[in-house]
Coordinates of all heavy atoms in Angstrom, one line a residue:
M207 N 0.8 -1.2 0.0 CA 0.0 0.0 -0.1 C 0.9 1.2 0.0 O 1.9 1.3 0.8 CB -0.9 0.0 1.2 CG -1.8 1.2 1.3 SD -3.1 1.1 2.6 CE -2.1 1.8 4.0
H208 N 0.6 2.2 -0.9 CA 1.3 3.4 -0.9 C 1.0 4.3 0.4 O -0.2 4.3 0.8 CB 1.0 4.2 -2.2 CG 1.4 3.4 -3.4 ND1 2.8 3.3 -3.7 CD2 0.7 2.8 -4.3 CE1 2.9 2.6 -4.8 NE2 1.7 2.3 -5.2
A209 N 1.8 5.1 0.7 CA 1.6 6.0 1.9 C 0.8 7.2 1.5 O 0.2 7.8 2.4 CB 2.9 6.5 2.4
V210 N 0.6 7.4 0.2 CA -0.2 8.5 -0.2 C -1.8 8.4 0.1 O -2.4 9.3 0.5 CB 0.0 8.7 -1.8 CG1 -0.9 9.9 -2.3 CG2 1.4 9.0 -2.0
I211 N -2.2 7.1 0.0 CA -3.6 6.8 0.1 C -4.1 7.2 1.6 O -5.2 7.9 1.7 CB -3.9 5.4 -0.2 CG1 -3.7 5.0 -1.6 CG2 -5.4 5.0 0.2 CD1 -3.7 3.6 -2.0
P212 N -3.4 6.9 2.7 CA -4.0 7.4 4.0 C -3.8 8.9 4.2 O -4.7 9.4 4.8 CB -3.1 6.6 5.0 CG -2.5 5.4 4.2 CD -2.4 5.9 2.9
Y213 N -2.8 9.5 3.5 CA -2.7 10.9 3.7 C -3.8 11.6 3.0 O -4.4 12.5 3.5 CB -1.3 11.4 3.1 CG -0.2 11.0 3.9 CD1 0.9 10.4 3.4 CD2 0.0 11.4 5.3 CE1 2.1 10.1 4.2 CE2 1.1 11.1 6.1 CZ 2.1 10.5 5.5 OH 3.1 10.2 6.3
V214 N -4.2 11.1 1.8 CA -5.3 11.8 1.1 C -6.6 11.5 1.7 O -7.5 12.4 1.8 CB -5.3 11.2 -0.4 CG1 -6.6 11.6 -1.1 CG2 -4.2 11.7 -1.1
T215 N -6.8 10.3 2.3 CA -8.0 9.9 3.1 C -8.1 10.8 4.4 O -9.2 11.4 4.6 CB -8.0 8.5 3.5 OG1 -7.8 7.7 2.4 CG2 -9.3 8.1 4.2
A216 N -7.0 11.0 5.0 CA -7.0 12.0 6.2 C -7.3 13.4 5.8 O -8.1 14.1 6.5 CB -5.6 11.9 6.8
A217 N -6.8 13.8 4.7 CA -7.1 15.2 4.1 C -8.5 15.3 3.8 O -9.2 16.3 4.2 CB -6.2 15.6 3.0
L218 N -9.2 14.3 3.2 CA -10.6 14.3 2.9 C -11.5 14.3 4.1 O -12.5 15.0 4.2 CB -11.0 13.2 1.9 CG -10.5 13.2 0.5 CD1 -10.7 12.0 -0.3 CD2 -11.0 14.4 -0.2
L219 N -11.1 13.5 5.1 CA -11.9 13.4 6.3 C -11.8 14.7 7.1 O -12.7 15.2 7.5 CB -11.3 12.3 7.2 CG -11.7 10.9 6.9 CD1 -11.0 9.9 7.8 CD2 -13.2 10.7 6.9
F220 N -10.6 15.4 7.1 CA -10.5 16.6 7.8 C -11.2 17.7 7.0 O -11.9 18.5 7.7 CB -9.0 17.0 7.9 CG -8.7 18.2 8.8 CD1 -8.6 17.9 10.1 CD2 -8.6 19.5 8.4 CE1 -8.3 19.0 11.1 CE2 -8.4 20.5 9.3 CZ -8.3 20.2 10.6
G221 N -11.3 17.7 5.7 CA -12.1 18.6 4.9 C -13.5 18.5 5.2 O -14.3 19.5 5.3
L222 N -14.0 17.2 5.2 CA -15.4 17.0 5.6 C -15.7 17.6 7.0 O -16.8 18.1 7.2 CB -15.8 15.6 5.5 CG -15.9 15.0 4.1 CD1 -16.1 13.5 4.2 CD2 -17.2 15.6 3.5
G223 N -14.9 17.4 7.9 CA -15.0 17.9 9.3 C -15.1 19.4 9.3 O -15.9 19.9 10.0
V224 N -14.2 20.0 8.6 CA -14.2 21.5 8.6 C -15.5 22.0 7.9 O -16.2 22.9 8.4 CB -13.0 22.0 7.8 CG1 -13.1 23.5 7.5 CG2 -11.7 21.8 8.6
Y225 N -16.0 21.4 6.8 CA -17.2 21.7 6.2 C -18.4 21.5 7.2 O -19.3 22.4 7.3 CB -17.5 20.8 5.0 CG -18.8 21.1 4.3 CD1 -19.0 22.1 3.5 CD2 -19.9 20.2 4.4 CE1 -20.2 22.3 2.9 CE2 -21.1 20.4 3.8 CZ -21.3 21.6 3.1 OH -22.5 21.8 2.5
G226 N -18.3 20.4 8.0 CA -19.4 20.3 8.9 C -19.5 21.3 10.0 O -20.5 21.7 10.5
V227 N -18.3 21.7 10.4 CA -18.2 22.7 11.5 C -18.7 24.0 10.9 O -19.5 24.8 11.6 CB -16.8 22.8 12.1 CG1 -16.6 24.1 12.9 CG2 -16.4 21.6 12.9
L228 N -18.4 24.4 9.7 CA -18.8 25.7 9.3 C -20.2 25.8 8.7 O -20.8 26.8 8.7 CB -17.8 26.0 8.1 CG -16.4 26.2 8.4 CD1 -15.5 26.5 7.1 CD2 -16.2 27.5 9.4
R229 N -20.8 24.6 8.4 CA -22.2 24.7 7.7 C -23.2 24.2 8.6 O -24.4 24.6 8.3 CB -22.1 23.9 6.4 CG -21.2 24.4 5.4 CD -21.5 25.8 4.9 NE -22.8 25.7 4.2 CZ -23.5 26.8 3.9 NH1 -23.1 27.9 4.0 NH2 -24.6 26.6 3.1
R230 N -22.9 23.5 9.6 CA -24.0 22.9 10.4 C -24.6 23.8 11.4 O -23.8 24.6 12.0 CB -23.6 21.6 11.1 CG -23.2 20.5 10.2 CD -24.5 20.1 9.4 NE -24.2 19.0 8.4 CZ -25.1 18.6 7.6 NH1 -26.3 19.0 7.5 NH2 -24.6 17.6 6.6
R231 N -25.8 23.8 11.8 CA -26.4 24.7 12.8 C -26.6 23.9 14.0 O -26.9 24.5 15.1 CB -27.7 25.3 12.3 CG -27.4 26.2 11.2 CD -28.7 26.9 10.7 NE -29.6 27.3 11.7 CZ -30.8 27.6 11.6 NH1 -31.3 27.6 10.3 NH2 -31.6 27.9 12.6
N232 N -26.8 22.6 14.0 CA -27.1 21.8 15.1 C -25.8 21.4 15.9 O -24.8 21.1 15.3 CB -27.8 20.5 14.7 CG -28.3 19.7 15.8 OD1 -27.9 19.8 17.0 ND2 -29.3 18.8 15.4
A233 N -25.8 21.6 17.2 CA -24.6 21.6 18.0 C -24.1 20.1 18.0 O -22.9 19.9 18.1 CB -24.8 22.1 19.4
I234 N -24.9 19.1 18.0 CA -24.5 17.7 18.0 C -23.8 17.4 16.8 O -22.8 16.7 16.7 CB -25.7 16.8 18.4 CG1 -26.2 17.1 19.8 CG2 -25.3 15.4 18.2 CD1 -27.4 16.4 20.2
L235 N -24.4 17.9 15.6 CA -23.6 17.6 14.4 C -22.2 18.4 14.3 O -21.4 17.9 13.7 CB -24.5 18.1 13.2 CG -25.8 17.2 13.0 CD1 -26.6 17.8 11.9 CD2 -25.4 15.8 12.8
V236 N -22.2 19.5 14.9 CA -20.9 20.2 14.9 C -19.9 19.4 15.7 O -18.7 19.2 15.3 CB -21.1 21.6 15.5 CG1 -19.7 22.2 15.8 CG2 -21.8 22.5 14.6
L237 N -20.4 18.8 16.9 CA -19.5 17.9 17.6 C -19.0 16.7 16.9 O -17.9 16.2 16.9 CB -20.2 17.4 19.0 CG -20.1 18.4 20.1 CD1 -20.9 17.9 21.4 CD2 -18.7 18.8 20.5
M238 N -19.9 16.1 16.1 CA -19.6 15.0 15.2 C -18.6 15.4 14.2 O -17.6 14.6 13.9 CB -20.9 14.5 14.6 CG -21.7 13.7 15.6 SD -23.3 13.2 14.8 CE -22.8 12.1 13.4
A239 N -18.6 16.6 13.7 CA -17.7 17.1 12.6 C -16.3 17.3 13.3 O -15.3 16.9 12.7 CB -18.2 18.4 12.0
V240 N -16.3 17.8 14.5 CA -15.0 17.8 15.2 C -14.4 16.5 15.5 O -13.2 16.3 15.4 CB -15.2 18.7 16.6 CG1 -14.0 18.6 17.5 CG2 -15.7 20.1 16.3
E241 N -15.2 15.5 15.8 CA -14.7 14.2 16.0 C -14.1 13.7 14.7 O -13.1 13.0 14.7 CB -15.8 13.3 16.5 CG -16.2 13.5 17.9 CD -15.1 13.3 18.9 OE1 -14.4 12.2 18.7 OE2 -15.0 14.1 19.8
L242 N -14.8 13.9 13.6 CA -14.3 13.5 12.3 C -12.9 14.1 12.0 O -12.0 13.5 11.5 CB -15.3 13.9 11.2 CG -15.0 13.3 9.9 CD1 -15.2 11.8 9.9 CD2 -16.1 13.9 8.9
M243 N -12.7 15.4 12.4 CA -11.5 16.1 12.2 C -10.4 15.4 13.1 O -9.2 15.2 12.6 CB -11.5 17.6 12.5 CG -12.4 18.3 11.5 SD -12.3 20.1 11.5 CE -12.4 20.5 13.3
L244 N -10.8 15.2 14.4 CA -9.8 14.4 15.2 C -9.4 13.1 14.7 O -8.2 12.6 14.9 CB -10.4 14.4 16.7 CG -10.4 15.7 17.4 CD1 -11.1 15.6 18.7 CD2 -9.0 16.4 17.5
N245 N -10.3 12.3 14.1 CA -10.0 11.0 13.6 C -9.1 11.2 12.5 O -8.2 10.3 12.1 CB -11.3 10.3 13.4 CG -12.0 9.7 14.5 OD1 -11.3 9.4 15.5 ND2 -13.3 9.6 14.5
A246 N -9.3 12.2 11.6 CA -8.3 12.4 10.5 C -7.0 12.7 11.0 O -6.0 12.3 10.4 CB -8.8 13.6 9.7
V247 N -6.9 13.4 12.0 CA -5.4 13.7 12.6 C -4.9 12.4 13.1 O -3.7 12.2 13.0 CB -5.6 14.8 13.7 CG1 -4.3 14.9 14.5 CG2 -6.0 16.1 13.2
N248 N -5.7 11.6 13.8 CA -5.3 10.3 14.3 C -4.7 9.4 13.1 O -3.7 8.8 13.2 CB -6.4 9.5 15.0 CG -6.5 9.9 16.4 OD1 -5.5 10.6 17.0 ND2 -7.7 9.7 16.9
L249 N -5.4 9.4 12.0 CA -5.0 8.6 10.9 C -3.7 9.2 10.3 O -2.8 8.4 9.9 CB -6.0 8.7 9.8 CG -5.8 7.9 8.4 CD1 -5.6 6.4 8.7 CD2 -6.9 8.2 7.5
L250 N -3.6 10.5 10.3 CA -2.4 11.1 9.7 C -1.2 10.8 10.7 O -0.1 10.5 10.3 CB -2.6 12.6 9.7 CG -1.4 13.5 9.1 CD1 -1.3 13.1 7.7 CD2 -1.7 14.9 9.4
L251 N -1.4 10.8 12.0 CA -0.3 10.5 13.0 C 0.1 9.1 12.8 O 1.4 8.8 12.9 CB -0.8 10.8 14.5 CG -0.9 12.3 14.8 CD1 -1.6 12.4 16.2 CD2 0.4 13.0 14.9
V252 N -0.9 8.1 12.8 CA -0.5 6.7 12.7 C 0.3 6.4 11.4 O 1.2 5.7 11.3 CB -1.6 5.9 12.9 CG1 -1.4 4.4 12.6 CG2 -2.2 6.0 14.3
T253 N -0.2 7.0 10.3 CA 0.4 6.8 8.9 C 1.8 7.3 9.0 O 2.8 6.7 8.4 CB -0.5 7.4 7.9 OG1 -1.7 6.9 7.9 CG2 0.2 7.2 6.5
A254 N 2.0 8.5 9.5 CA 3.4 9.1 9.6 C 4.3 8.3 10.4 O 5.4 8.1 10.2 CB 3.3 10.6 10.1
D255 N 3.8 7.6 11.5 CA 4.5 6.8 12.4 C 5.0 5.5 11.6 O 6.1 5.2 11.8 CB 3.7 6.4 13.6 CG 4.4 5.7 14.7 OD1 5.8 5.9 14.8 OD2 3.9 4.8 15.2
V256 N 4.1 5.0 10.9 CA 4.4 3.7 10.1 C 5.4 4.1 9.0 O 6.4 3.3 8.8 CB 3.1 3.1 9.6 CG1 3.4 2.0 8.6 CG2 2.3 2.6 10.8
T257 N 5.2 5.1 8.3 CA 6.0 5.4 7.1 C 7.4 5.9 7.5 O 8.4 5.6 6.9 CB 5.3 6.4 6.2 OG1 5.1 7.5 6.9 CG2 4.1 5.7 5.6
L258 N 7.4 6.7 8.6 CA 8.8 7.3 9.0 C 9.6 6.4 9.9 O 10.7 6.6 10.1 CB 8.6 8.7 9.6 CG 7.9 9.7 8.7 CD1 7.6 11.0 9.4 CD2 8.7 10.0 7.4
D259 N 8.9 5.6 10.6 CA 9.4 4.7 11.6 C 10.2 5.4 12.6 O 11.5 5.1 12.7 CB 10.3 3.5 10.8 CG 10.6 2.4 11.7 OD1 9.8 2.1 12.6 OD2 11.7 1.7 11.5
N260 N 9.6 6.2 13.4 CA 10.3 7.0 14.4 C 10.0 6.7 15.8 O 10.0 7.5 16.6 CB 10.1 8.4 14.1 CG 8.6 8.8 14.2 OD1 7.7 7.9 14.4 ND2 8.2 10.0 14.0
G261 N 9.8 5.3 16.0 CA 9.7 4.8 17.4 C 8.4 5.1 18.1 O 8.3 5.4 19.3
Y262 N 7.3 4.9 17.4 CA 5.9 4.9 18.0 C 5.5 6.2 18.6 O 4.7 6.2 19.4 CB 5.8 3.7 19.0 CG 6.0 2.4 18.5 CD1 7.1 1.6 18.9 CD2 5.1 1.8 17.7 CE1 7.3 0.4 18.5 CE2 5.3 0.6 17.1 CZ 6.5 -0.1 17.6 OH 6.6 -1.4 17.1
R263 N 6.2 7.3 18.1 CA 5.7 8.6 18.6 C 4.3 8.9 18.1 O 3.5 9.6 18.7 CB 6.7 9.6 18.2 CG 8.0 9.6 18.9 CD 8.9 10.7 18.7 NE 10.2 10.4 19.2 CZ 11.4 10.4 18.6 NH1 11.4 10.6 17.3 NH2 12.5 10.1 19.2
G264 N 4.0 8.6 16.7 CA 2.8 8.9 16.2 C 1.6 8.2 16.9 O 0.5 8.7 17.2
G265 N 1.9 6.9 17.3 CA 0.9 6.1 18.0 C 0.6 6.7 19.3 O -0.5 6.8 19.8
A266 N 1.6 7.2 20.1 CA 1.4 7.7 21.4 C 0.7 9.0 21.2 O -0.2 9.3 22.1 CB 2.8 8.0 22.0
F267 N 0.9 9.9 20.3 CA 0.2 11.2 20.1 C -1.2 10.8 19.7 O -2.2 11.5 20.1 CB 0.8 12.0 19.0 CG 2.0 12.8 19.6 CD1 3.1 12.7 19.0 CD2 1.8 13.7 20.6 CE1 4.2 13.4 19.5 CE2 2.9 14.4 21.1 CZ 4.1 14.3 20.5
A268 N -1.5 9.7 18.9 CA -2.8 9.3 18.5 C -3.6 8.9 19.7 O -4.7 9.2 19.9 CB -2.8 8.2 17.5
L269 N -3.1 8.2 20.6 CA -3.6 7.7 21.9 C -4.0 9.0 22.7 O -5.1 9.1 23.3 CB -2.8 6.9 22.7 CG -3.4 6.3 24.0 CD1 -4.6 5.4 23.7 CD2 -2.4 5.5 24.7
F270 N -3.1 10.0 22.8 CA -3.4 11.3 23.5 C -4.6 11.9 22.8 O -5.5 12.5 23.5 CB -2.2 12.2 23.5 CG -2.5 13.5 24.1 CD1 -2.6 13.6 25.5 CD2 -2.6 14.7 23.4 CE1 -2.8 14.8 26.1 CE2 -2.7 15.8 24.0 CZ -2.9 15.9 25.3
V271 N -4.7 11.9 21.4 CA -5.8 12.6 20.7 C -7.1 11.8 21.0 O -8.2 12.5 21.1 CB -5.6 12.8 19.3 CG1 -6.7 13.2 18.5 CG2 -4.3 13.7 19.0
I272 N -7.1 10.6 21.1 CA -8.3 9.8 21.5 C -8.8 10.1 22.9 O -10.0 10.3 23.0 CB -8.0 8.2 21.3 CG1 -7.7 7.9 19.9 CG2 -9.1 7.4 21.9 CD1 -7.2 6.5 19.6
V273 N -7.8 10.2 23.8 CA -8.3 10.6 25.2 C -8.9 12.0 25.1 O -9.9 12.3 25.8 CB -7.1 10.5 26.2 CG1 -7.4 11.1 27.5 CG2 -6.7 9.0 26.2
L274 N -8.2 12.9 24.5 CA -8.8 14.3 24.3 C -10.1 14.3 23.7 O -11.0 15.1 24.1 CB -7.7 15.1 23.5 CG -8.1 16.6 23.4 CD1 -7.8 17.3 24.7 CD2 -7.2 17.2 22.3
A275 N -10.3 13.5 22.6 CA -11.7 13.5 22.0 C -12.7 12.9 22.9 O -13.8 13.4 22.9 CB -11.5 12.6 20.8
A276 N -12.3 11.9 23.7 CA -13.3 11.4 24.6 C -13.8 12.5 25.7 O -15.0 12.6 26.1 CB -12.7 10.2 25.4
A277 N -12.8 13.2 26.2 CA -13.1 14.2 27.2 C -14.0 15.4 26.5 O -14.8 15.9 27.1 CB -11.8 14.9 27.7
E278 N -13.6 15.6 25.2 CA -14.3 16.8 24.5 C -15.8 16.3 24.3 O -16.7 17.1 24.5 CB -13.6 17.0 23.2 CG -14.4 17.9 22.4 CD -15.1 17.4 21.1 OE1 -14.7 16.1 20.8 OE2 -16.0 18.0 20.6
V279 N -16.0 15.1 24.0 CA -17.4 14.6 23.8 C -18.1 14.6 25.2 O -19.3 15.0 25.2 CB -17.4 13.2 23.2 CG1 -18.7 12.5 23.3 CG2 -17.0 13.2 21.7
G280 N -17.5 14.2 26.1 CA -18.2 14.1 27.5 C -18.6 15.6 27.9 O -19.8 15.8 28.3
V281 N -17.7 16.6 27.9 CA -18.0 17.9 28.3 C -19.0 18.6 27.3 O -19.9 19.3 27.7 CB -16.6 18.8 28.5 CG1 -17.0 20.2 28.7 CG2 -15.8 18.2 29.6
G282 N -18.7 18.4 26.0 CA -19.6 19.0 25.0 C -21.0 18.5 25.1 O -21.9 19.3 25.0
L283 N -21.2 17.2 25.2 CA -22.6 16.7 25.3 C -23.2 17.2 26.6 O -24.4 17.4 26.6 CB -22.6 15.2 25.2 CG -22.4 14.7 23.9 CD1 -22.4 13.1 23.9 CD2 -23.6 15.1 23.0
A284 N -22.4 17.3 27.7 CA -23.1 17.8 29.0 C -23.6 19.2 28.7 O -24.7 19.5 29.3 CB -22.1 17.7 30.0
I285 N -22.7 20.0 28.1 CA -23.1 21.4 27.9 C -24.3 21.6 27.0 O -25.3 22.3 27.2 CB -22.0 22.3 27.4 CG1 -20.8 22.4 28.4 CG2 -22.4 23.5 26.8 CD1 -19.6 23.0 27.9
I286 N -24.4 20.7 25.9 CA -25.5 20.8 25.0 C -26.8 20.2 25.6 O -27.8 20.8 25.4 CB -25.1 19.9 23.6 CG1 -24.0 20.6 22.9 CG2 -26.3 19.7 22.9 CD1 -23.5 19.8 21.8
L287 N -26.6 19.2 26.4 CA -27.9 18.7 27.1 C -28.4 19.7 28.1 O -29.7 19.8 28.2 CB -27.6 17.3 27.8 CG -27.5 16.2 26.8 CD1 -27.0 14.9 27.7 CD2 -28.7 15.9 26.1
Q288 N -27.6 20.3 28.8 CA -28.0 21.4 29.7 C -28.7 22.5 29.0 O -29.7 23.1 29.4 CB -26.9 21.9 30.6 CG -27.3 22.9 31.7 CD -28.2 22.2 32.7 OE1 -28.1 21.0 33.0 NE2 -29.0 23.1 33.3
Y289 N -28.0 23.0 28.0 CA -28.7 24.0 27.1 C -30.0 23.5 26.5 O -31.0 24.4 26.5 CB -27.7 24.4 25.9 CG -28.2 25.6 25.2 CD1 -28.1 26.9 25.7 CD2 -28.9 25.5 24.0 CE1 -28.5 28.0 25.1 CE2 -29.4 26.6 23.4 CZ -29.2 27.9 23.9 OH -29.6 29.0 23.2
Y290 N -30.2 22.3 26.1 CA -31.4 21.8 25.6 C -32.5 21.8 26.7 O -33.6 22.0 26.4 CB -31.2 20.3 25.0 CG -32.5 19.8 24.5 CD1 -33.0 20.2 23.2 CD2 -33.2 18.9 25.2 CE1 -34.1 19.7 22.7 CE2 -34.3 18.3 24.6 CZ -34.9 18.8 23.4 OH -35.9 18.2 22.9
R291 N -32.1 21.4 27.9 CA -33.1 21.5 28.9 C -33.6 22.9 29.2 O -34.7 23.1 29.6 CB -32.5 20.9 30.3 CG -32.3 19.3 30.1 CD -31.7 18.8 31.5 NE -31.4 17.5 31.3 CZ -30.5 16.8 31.9 NH1 -29.7 17.4 32.8 NH2 -30.3 15.5 31.8
M292 N -32.7 23.9 29.1 CA -33.1 25.3 29.3 C -33.9 25.8 28.2 O -34.9 26.6 28.4 CB -31.9 26.1 29.5 CG -31.2 25.8 30.9 SD -29.6 26.7 31.1 CE -29.8 28.2 30.3
R293 N -33.5 25.6 27.0 CA -34.1 26.2 25.8 C -35.0 25.4 24.9 O -35.6 25.8 24.0 CB -33.0 26.9 24.9 CG -32.1 27.8 25.7 CD -32.7 29.1 25.8 NE -31.8 30.0 26.5 CZ -32.1 31.0 27.3 NH1 -33.3 31.2 27.6 NH2 -31.1 31.7 27.9
A294 N -34.8 24.1 24.9 CA -35.5 23.2 24.2 C -35.1 23.2 22.6 O -35.8 22.8 21.7 CB -37.1 23.2 24.2
A295 N -33.9 23.6 22.4 CA -33.3 23.7 21.1 C -31.8 23.7 21.2 O -31.2 24.1 22.2 CB -33.8 24.9 20.3
V296 N -31.1 23.2 20.2 CA -29.7 23.2 20.2 C -29.1 23.7 18.9 O -28.0 23.4 18.5 CB -29.1 21.7 20.4 CG1 -29.3 21.2 21.8 CG2 -29.7 20.7 19.4
H297 N -29.8 24.7 18.4 CA -29.2 25.4 17.3 C -28.2 26.4 17.7 O -28.3 27.2 18.6 CB -30.4 26.1 16.5 CG -31.4 25.3 15.9 ND1 -31.1 24.4 14.8 CD2 -32.7 25.0 16.2 CE1 -32.1 23.7 14.5 NE2 -33.1 24.0 15.3
I298 N -27.1 26.4 17.1 CA -25.9 27.3 17.3 C -26.2 28.7 17.1 O -25.8 29.6 17.9 CB -24.6 26.8 16.6 CG1 -24.3 25.4 17.1 CG2 -23.5 27.7 16.8 CD1 -23.1 24.8 16.4
D299 N -27.1 29.1 16.1 CA -27.3 30.4 15.8 C -28.1 31.1 16.9 O -28.1 32.2 17.1 CB -28.1 30.5 14.6 CG -27.3 30.0 13.3 OD1 -26.1 30.1 13.4 OD2 -28.0 29.7 12.3
D300 N -28.8 30.3 17.8 CA -29.7 30.9 18.8 C -28.9 31.1 20.1 O -29.4 31.6 21.1 CB -30.9 30.0 19.0 CG -31.7 29.9 17.8 OD1 -31.7 30.9 17.0 OD2 -32.5 28.9 17.7
V301 N -27.7 30.5 20.2 CA -26.9 30.6 21.4 C -26.3 32.0 21.7 O -25.7 32.5 20.9 CB -25.8 29.5 21.5 CG1 -24.9 29.7 22.8 CG2 -26.3 28.1 21.3
R302 N -26.7 32.5 22.8 CA -26.2 33.9 23.1 C -24.9 33.7 24.0 O -24.9 33.1 25.0 CB -27.1 34.6 23.9 CG -28.4 35.0 23.0 CD -29.3 35.9 23.7 NE -28.6 37.1 24.2 CZ -29.0 38.4 23.8 NH1 -30.0 38.5 23.1 NH2 -28.3 39.4 24.2
L303 N -23.8 34.4 23.6 CA -22.5 34.2 24.2 C -22.2 35.4 25.1 O -21.1 35.4 25.7 CB -21.4 34.1 23.2 CG -21.5 32.8 22.3 CD1 -20.4 32.9 21.2 CD2 -21.6 31.6 23.2
D304 N -23.1 36.4 25.2 CA -22.8 37.6 25.9 C -23.1 37.5 27.4 O -23.0 38.4 28.2 CB -23.3 38.9 25.3 CG -24.8 38.7 25.1 OD1 -25.5 37.7 25.5 OD2 -25.5 39.8 24.6
G305 N -23.8 36.4 27.8 CA -24.2 36.2 29.1 C -25.6 36.7 29.6 O -26.0 36.5 30.7
E306 N -26.2 37.5 28.7 CA -27.6 38.0 29.0 C -28.6 36.9 28.7 O -28.5 36.1 27.9 CB -27.9 39.2 28.1 CG -26.9 40.4 28.4 CD -27.2 41.5 27.5 OE1 -28.4 41.6 27.0 OE2 -26.5 42.4 27.4
N307 N -29.6 37.0 29.4 CA -30.8 36.0 29.3 C -31.6 36.5 28.2 O -32.1 37.6 28.2 CB -31.6 36.0 30.6 CG -32.5 34.7 30.6 OD1 -32.7 34.0 29.6 ND2 -33.2 34.5 31.7
A308 N -31.8 35.6 27.2 CA -32.6 36.0 26.0 C -34.1 36.0 26.3 O -34.9 36.4 25.5 CB -32.3 35.1 24.8
G309 N -34.5 35.4 27.4 CA -35.9 35.3 27.8 C -36.7 34.2 27.4 O -37.1 33.6 26.8

């Protein structure tokens, strides 16, 4: 297998994730797009580790990214669920970031 195929696949996955973050209005779909970008980075790290053979550094960083992604999902879903309980919607356009109560 050529090393180009995983690199191109990672680039496509990352591009889809960026598109999802920029175009989606639902907060859960934005979290899914961020997860897609993190998985693309994991694929890139593992592929670079295999092709460059530099002592499992890419695999260690990929494991760190997996742990970071799990923490991000836990905190992000908790925030989204709390917001849904308060407002009954999870559209990103309706979220006020200035701290005032929208009523």
Side-chain angles (χ1 to χ4, degrees):
M207 182 172 83
H208 296 289
V210 175
I211 295 171
Y213 287 128
V214 171
T215 305
L218 289 174
L219 284 175
F220 195 83
L222 283 172
V224 169
Y225 177 77
V227 167
L228 294 177
R229 298 296 295 171
R230 295 294 176 185
R231 292 180 44 192
N232 191 342
I234 294 175
L235 292 178
V236 171
L237 278 179
M238 288 174 58
V240 170
E241 289 296 319
L242 193 63
M243 291 189 323
L244 289 173
N245 284 330
V247 171
N248 280 339
L249 179 61
L250 185 68
L251 286 170
V252 171
T253 303
D255 183 36
V256 169
T257 57
L258 299 176
D259 195 27
N260 57 1
Y262 299 112
R263 290 187 188 123
F267 280 120
L269 183 62
F270 177 72
V271 171
I272 290 170
V273 170
L274 182 72
E278 177 256 335
V279 165
V281 172
L283 281 178
I285 291 170
I286 290 171
L287 286 175
Q288 184 64 29
Y289 188 79
Y290 180 76
R291 288 180 185 154
M292 290 173 36
R293 306 277 185 216
V296 289
H297 294 292
I298 293 178
D299 296 337
D300 299 335
V301 176
R302 295 187 54 126
L303 299 175
D304 57 1
E306 294 180 19
N307 192 357

